[in-house]
Amino acid sequence: MAVPDLPAPFTTLAGPHRFDAVIENSEFLAFADRADTPGDALAQLAALRARYPVATHHCWAYRIGAAYRFGDDGEPGGTAGAPILRAIEGQGVDHVMVIVVRFYGGVKLGTGGLVRAYGGSAAECLRTAARLQVRPRRTVRVAVPFDAVGGLYHLLGTWDVTRGEEAYTAGGVELDVHLYPEDTDAFAAALRDATRGAAVTDLD
């Protein structure tokens, strides 16, 4: 059967990270975190707006594969969200949301100053954040009769896989196994050996 292409591997953040700076009396609090959907990203923005309701601006950008958006939140157009997005792209990370919260300190920074402040804060936040390499896995549906379940469980314990929930049928057990693409053929062969040919997968 035809196997759909998987997304390419990418580098994202291992967890939330923060970087603070004071520039001409204004405080810039930069927050970065992984976001796998636009909804994830906008939920992070809503949470920070609720956490810092009196901040002057909450400027942001996300990049999730080919999808991206940014917002200046009242700063002059092109001085906040776009520089944050360029910082994300410059750091080579994906599936990332960055929000820079500003508390105005009474000194106007000008267009160039704002670009440097927002872009620089975002870049430094990302530069100092722990990163994570993500390699998408392929999902293989496995069906095993009850008398071969022991062989399946032993095999799962010796491979780098993640497993979905089991479903019990009249003849045995079915479950999804998530494998790295390069492991699928060898896993299928090992599964046949472990179950004496009784297992069935959607690779067959």
Side-chain angles (χ1 to χ4, degrees), residues 151-161 163 166 175 177 187:
L152 170 65
Y153 289 163
H154 175 75
L155 187 66
L156 293 177
T158 61
W159 282 72
D160 183 2
V161 303
R163 51 194 279 191
E166 298 175 359
L175 77 158
V177 178
F187 177 83

Side-chain angles (χ1 to χ4, degrees), residues 2-10 95 134-140 177-184 203:
V3 178
D5 292 335
L6 289 179
F10 60 89
H95 289 239
V134 177
R135 296 171 59 208
R137 294 177 182 258
R138 190 178 303 287
T139 299
V140 176
V177 178
H178 310 290
L179 301 137
Y180 291 124
E182 63 271 20
D183 291 339
T184 53
L203 296 173

